[in-house]
Amino acid sequence: MDSQILVIFGASGDLAKRKLIPAVYKLHKGGYLPEKFIVLGVSRTDYTDEEFRNNVFEDSDFLDSNKDADFADKLFYQAIDTLSEESYSKVRQKLERLGEEHHIAPNYIFYLSVPPSLYPKIPAYLAGEGLNKQDKGFSRLVIEKPFGYDETSARELNEQLLEYFEEEQIFRIDHYLGKETVQNLLVTRFGNGIFEPLWNRNYIHHIEITAAEEIGVGSRGGYYDKSGALRDMVQNHLLQIVALMAMEPPNSTDADAIRNEKLKLFQAMRPIKKEEVSQYAIRGQYISSEVDRDLIKGYREEEGVPNDSTAETYVALKFFIDNWRWADVPFYIRTGKRLPAKATEIVVYFKSPPHHLFINEQDFTNMNNQLIIRIQPDEGLLLQFGMKVPGAGFRVKNVEMDFHYSELTDAEVPEAYERLILDVMKGDATLYARGDSVEAAWQFIDPILEAWEANPDIKLYGYPAGTWGPEAARKLIEGENVSWRTPCKTLTESRNFCEL
C-alpha cells in the first residue's frame, strides 16, 4: 500500500475520538497500515500536536505499550477556521511539511467528520489549494451520511462535490456496509450452489428485513426530530441491504460491477404512489410505558423533541421489485426505536411445497422454510425446516440448523470503520455508496415523505415502548400463518416476547 496521510476534519469531535482514531489504531496494531503513514487532525479547537494526542487517548488504554506510543507519534494537528477559505493554506502547508519530514508522497484522504452543511464548502476550499489534484499522488474525499435530505438536496450535493472531485475520488461511507455479515450476503448468495438457484420468485414467498433498537433517541432528540426513522435508517442502511439481497450477480467483484447492479436494483423498485402510502407504509412513535418496573419516557418527552412532534420512530414498508427475478414477491422492511430487542436480521421465507401432505400436523402449521441471516448481534445464519419426529405416523416438527460467526475462533472480525477506512486507503470503493445510487434511493423514499408531510389524515400510530411497534404493521404481511419473525438477542431464540 502506498504511503499516505489521512486528514480528519472535525478531529476534535466525538466521532473521530470514539470511532475513527480507534479504528486506525487497530489497523496499526494489526499491521495493516502502510509503513509511512500519518493522521492529521483538523478542527477549530486550538490544540498543539501533543495536546491533540493527549485528547485522543484521554481515558483510554491505547498508550500501554511501546507500540501504542509509536502510533501516537503518527498523530498531528492543525487548527483552522473551517469556514474560512484562507485558513486552508495552513492545511496545505502542514501537509507539505509533514510529507517532506516523513518522506511521504502527496497521497491524501480527506475525511469529513463535520456537519453536512460543510460538505460543499470544504471540498471547494481544498480545491482552491490544489489538494484535489492527482498529478503527483491520489486525493480522496470521504463523507458521512446524510447524503442529502431528499432527492433534490442529494442531487445538489452530488453536483457540488463533482465540481471539485471526480466520482472515483468520492467515498460516501455507510458503516452498515462495513459489517462483516453484510458483506457476507454476497458470498451467501453467489458462492453457494444450494442458494442461488432458489433465489427468485419461483421459490421465495417474501423477504423481510428488521433493524430493531432497544434504545430511544436519548440526547439526539433535536437532530432526530428533523430526520425520523425513514431518513435515518431506511434510505441508506436498509435499502443498501435490500440491494445486496436482491441485485443480479455482478460479472466480477470489481467495485463498479457491484455498484452497477445495485443501481439497477434501485431503479427496478416499484414506486409507492402518494395515494398508496397509507397502504404500504406504516409509521409509529413510541409512547411512555412501564418496562420491567421502570417507566420509559415517550418520544415527545425526550430532550429536544417538540410536544407536537410527528417524527416517526418506527416505520414498516411493503414494496415490490419489478424485474424478472422478483416479480410479485413482496419485500418488507421495519425499523424502530424502543423495541423489545436489539437485532438486525434478514428472513427469507421460501414457498410451501405444492402439495401439503403434513399441513394438519399440530407442530408444523407453518410450512414455510426460513433462512435467517443475522447481521447483529450474535452474527450468523439459521435455517429452519421440517423433520419427522421419531415414532409412529408422520408427526412433523420445525427444526433448526445454525452457524455462528463466533465459532470461527481463529478469525478476528474487524469493526465496520476498520474495514471501510482500510478500503479507502486501498482505493476500493466496493462498500461505498455511489452518487447515482444515492439519488435513486431517495427517488423511492421521497413520495412517502411528501405524502406524510402533505396529508394529515395518514395516521401516526403510537406504540408503547418495549413492544414490537404498531398493530397496523402486522397487517402488511400477506399469507396464511405468516407474520413478522420476532427476533431476540440470540439468533436461535424466537418468541412472541423477548427479555429486555
Side-chain angles (χ1 to χ4, degrees):
M1 204 177 346
D2 295 331
S3 62
Q4 54 193 271
I5 300 177
L6 172 63
V7 185
I8 301 177
F9 285 89
S12 61
D14 181 64
L15 178 65
K17 185 175 179 180
R18 186 170 48 89
K19 292 290 186 180
L20 303 184
I21 300 294
V24 176
Y25 167 72
K26 289 180 181 178
L27 292 174
H28 165 75
K29 189 176 179 180
Y32 295 106
L33 295 182
E35 182 180 351
K36 297 177 181 178
F37 177 83
I38 279 175
V39 175
L40 175 62
V42 179
S43 193
R44 287 172 171 252
T45 308
D46 191 15
Y47 287 140
T48 64
D49 291 343
E50 195 60 37
E51 287 171 340
F52 174 59
R53 293 164 183 166
N54 291 338
N55 178 263
V56 165
F57 296 125
E58 186 179 11
D59 300 325
S60 75
D61 57 0
F62 286 148
L63 296 177
D64 281 352
S65 70
N66 291 330
K67 196 170 185 179
D68 296 335
D70 291 343
F71 176 71
D73 290 340
K74 297 179 183 292
L75 302 181
F76 296 86
Y77 188 82
Q78 178 62 56
I80 67 167
D81 179 359
T82 48
L83 293 172
S84 170
E85 184 174 1
E86 292 75 19
S87 296
Y88 285 73
S89 62
K90 297 179 182 178
V91 177
R92 176 181 54 78
Q93 293 166 8
K94 183 94 170 188
L95 287 172
E96 291 173 352
R97 186 165 62 253
L98 289 172
E100 291 176 4
E101 293 173 356
H102 297 269
H103 307 289
I104 296 178
N107 295 319
Y108 305 133
I109 298 172
F110 300 103
Y111 198 116
L112 306 193
S113 177
V114 296
S117 59
L118 289 175
Y119 289 172
K121 296 180 180 179
I122 292 179
Y125 298 157
L126 291 172
E129 296 296 326
L131 293 172
N132 61 334
K133 295 179 180 179
Q134 302 195 96
D135 48 348
K136 296 181 180 179
F138 63 73
S139 178
R140 296 167 187 158
L141 185 73
V142 183
I143 63 172
E144 288 269 351
K145 76 175 185 76
F147 312 126
Y149 192 70
D150 51 25
E151 184 188 359
T152 300
S153 59
R155 182 174 289 110
E156 289 175 355
L157 175 60
N158 284 335
E159 290 172 354
Q160 291 164 336
L161 295 175
L162 291 171
E163 191 174 345
Y164 306 105
F165 285 79
E166 300 293 331
E167 178 63 43
E168 66 177 19
Q169 295 176 272
I170 303 170
F171 291 72
R172 299 167 186 83
I173 192 167
D174 183 340
H175 70 271
Y176 249 64
L177 295 184
K179 296 181 184 297
E180 193 72 22
T181 38
V182 172
Q183 299 162 38
N184 193 49
L185 293 176
L186 294 177
V187 177
T188 301
R189 284 194 56 193
F190 303 127
N192 294 285
I194 61 173
F195 293 133
E196 177 53 28
L198 308 180
W199 217 262
N200 56 61
R201 69 188 187 282
N202 296 319
Y203 299 99
I204 291 178
H205 183 274
H206 70 274
I207 292 179
E208 163 196 321
I209 301 173
T210 294
E213 296 182 89
E214 289 179 283
I215 62 172
V217 296
S219 60
R220 296 175 64 236
Y223 161 79
Y224 193 89
D225 203 65
K226 297 181 177 65
S227 172
L230 195 61
R231 285 187 174 98
D232 190 51
M233 286 292 293
V234 176
Q235 185 276 332
N236 39 70
H237 303 326
L238 298 188
L239 288 190
Q240 289 290 332
I241 292 176
V242 169
L244 293 173
M245 283 293 294
M247 72 185 202
E248 294 300 311
N251 56 21
S252 73
T253 56
D254 178 74
D256 279 339
I258 292 175
R259 300 202 293 179
N260 287 342
E261 295 304 334
K262 283 186 179 182
L263 176 61
K264 292 177 188 177
L265 188 282
F266 289 140
Q267 292 171 335
M269 292 174 66
R270 184 187 302 174
I272 298 176
K273 300 175 182 178
K274 292 181 183 179
E275 60 270 22
E276 299 174 328
V277 166
S278 59
Q279 180 182 352
Y280 291 102
I282 302 297
R283 58 176 176 165
Q285 190 181 93
Y286 65 84
I287 58 177
S288 61
S289 176
E290 187 174 301
V291 178
D292 197 21
R293 299 183 181 179
D294 290 331
L295 182 63
I296 305 298
K297 291 191 295 186
Y299 174 70
R300 295 181 183 180
E301 298 164 353
E302 300 279 18
E303 178 185 344
V305 177
N307 293 331
D308 58 351
S309 171
T310 58
E312 76 284 357
T313 62
Y314 175 98
V315 62
L317 298 181
K318 173 186 174 182
F319 61 92
F320 296 88
I321 296 171
D322 290 333
N323 62 17
W324 192 272
R325 181 184 294 267
W326 297 114
D328 298 324
V329 175
F331 282 72
Y332 301 94
I333 286 177
R334 65 172 172 174
T335 183
K337 293 188 176 294
R338 288 294 184 199
L339 300 183
K342 175 182 174 61
T344 302
E345 68 177 25
I346 304 155
V347 186
V348 180
Y349 288 80
F350 293 95
K351 289 184 176 179
S352 300
H355 183 45
H356 296 169
L357 289 174
F358 312 110
I359 196 66
N360 294 322
E361 297 294 334
Q362 63 181 36
D363 291 334
F364 198 53
T365 56
N366 184 355
M367 296 293 289
N368 295 88
N369 301 131
Q370 298 176 23
L371 174 66
I372 296 100
I373 304 172
R374 176 63 72 91
I375 292 173
Q376 65 175 8
D378 195 24
E379 295 85 351
L381 275 77
L382 177 70
L383 182 63
Q384 295 185 346
F385 52 96
M387 291 291 287
K388 179 184 177 298
V389 175
F394 286 95
R395 187 180 171 212
V396 184
K397 185 176 182 178
N398 264 329
V399 297
E400 299 177 339
M401 188 162 57
D402 59 277
F403 158 76
H404 298 260
Y405 264 90
S406 59
E407 295 170 3
L408 297 175
T409 54
D410 295 333
E412 182 178 347
V413 179
E415 295 287 336
Y417 275 103
E418 292 175 51
R419 172 65 191 272
L420 293 170
I421 290 174
L422 183 60
D423 280 357
V424 73
M425 290 167 63
K426 293 178 177 179
D428 184 352
T430 304
L431 300 177
Y432 287 82
R434 200 168 65 188
D436 50 7
S437 288
V438 170
E439 292 178 19
W442 275 119
Q443 193 170 14
F444 174 76
I445 293 295
D446 268 7
I448 303 172
L449 292 169
E450 291 168 2
W452 285 349
E453 292 169 5
N455 188 352
D457 292 332
I458 297 178
K459 294 180 180 179
L460 172 66
Y461 296 92
Y463 63 95
T467 65
W468 280 107
E471 180 66 27
R474 298 174 184 265
K475 300 176 182 178
L476 280 179
I477 298 222
E478 301 173 343
E480 186 178 355
N481 295 323
V482 177
S483 62
W484 295 98
R485 170 178 146 89
T486 304
C488 290
K489 291 179 179 178
T490 60
L491 172 62
T492 54
E493 182 182 19
S494 180
R495 303 174 182 168
N496 291 330
F497 300 98
C498 294
E499 181 183 352
L500 284 168

